[in-house]
C-alpha cells in the first residue's frame, strides 16, 4: 500500500491473518516478502536520508511478536544494502 491509512489497515489485517494462522495451524515456518513502501529507519535506510515513511506501529508489532528478521540485513554486509 502506498498511502498511510491503507498501509495501517493492511498491516492490521496481516497481523490478524498471522494470528489466525499460528493459532489454527500446526507449527510452521512462514516466509513473508513484499514491497511494503516503508523502512525501519528513514534516517538510516533512505537516500537522501529522512525521506520516506517509517514502519507503521502495526508492522513493528508483527516483527516483535513473531521475531521476524530482514534476511538481507541479518547477513554479513558487503556494502550499502537496500531491500
Amino acid at each position: 500500500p502506498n498511502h498511510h491509512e491503507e498501509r495501517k489497515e493492511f498491516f492490521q489485517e496481516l497481523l490478524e491473518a498471522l494470528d489466525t494462522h499460528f493459532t489454527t495451524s500446526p507449527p510452521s515456518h512462514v516466509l513473508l516478502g513484499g514491497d511494503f513502501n516503508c523502512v525501519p529507519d528513514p534516517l538510516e535506510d533512505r537516500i537522501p536520508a529522512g525521506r520516506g515513511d517509517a514502519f507503521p506501529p502495526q508492522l513493528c508489532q508483527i516483527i516483535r511478536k513473531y521475531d521476524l528478521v530482514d534476511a538481507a540485513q541479518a547477513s554479513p554486509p558487503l556494502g550499502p544494502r537496500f531491500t
Side-chain angles (χ1 to χ4, degrees):
N2 291 319
H3 301 288
H4 178 73
E5 285 303 315
E6 292 173 348
R7 192 175 303 125
K8 179 180 172 182
E9 183 178 331
F10 170 79
F11 287 118
Q12 185 60 43
E13 290 174 5
L14 178 60
L15 177 59
E16 292 168 9
L18 289 170
D19 287 343
T20 299
H21 172 77
F22 286 113
T23 57
T24 61
S25 300
S28 63
H29 296 280
V30 172
L31 177 64
L32 179 64
D35 181 354
F36 299 134
N37 294 313
C38 54
V39 295
D41 182 353
L43 295 176
E44 183 179 317
D45 299 321
R46 290 277 191 195
I47 296 178
R51 296 190 60 187
D53 292 336
F55 280 2
Q58 295 82 2
L59 179 54
C60 293
Q61 182 181 2
I62 291 169
I63 291 168
R64 281 191 308 273
K65 184 172 187 173
Y66 293 106
D67 198 27
L68 301 180
V69 296
D70 181 334
Q73 296 297 331
S75 62
L78 301 173
R81 292 184 185 236
F82 302 94
T83 61

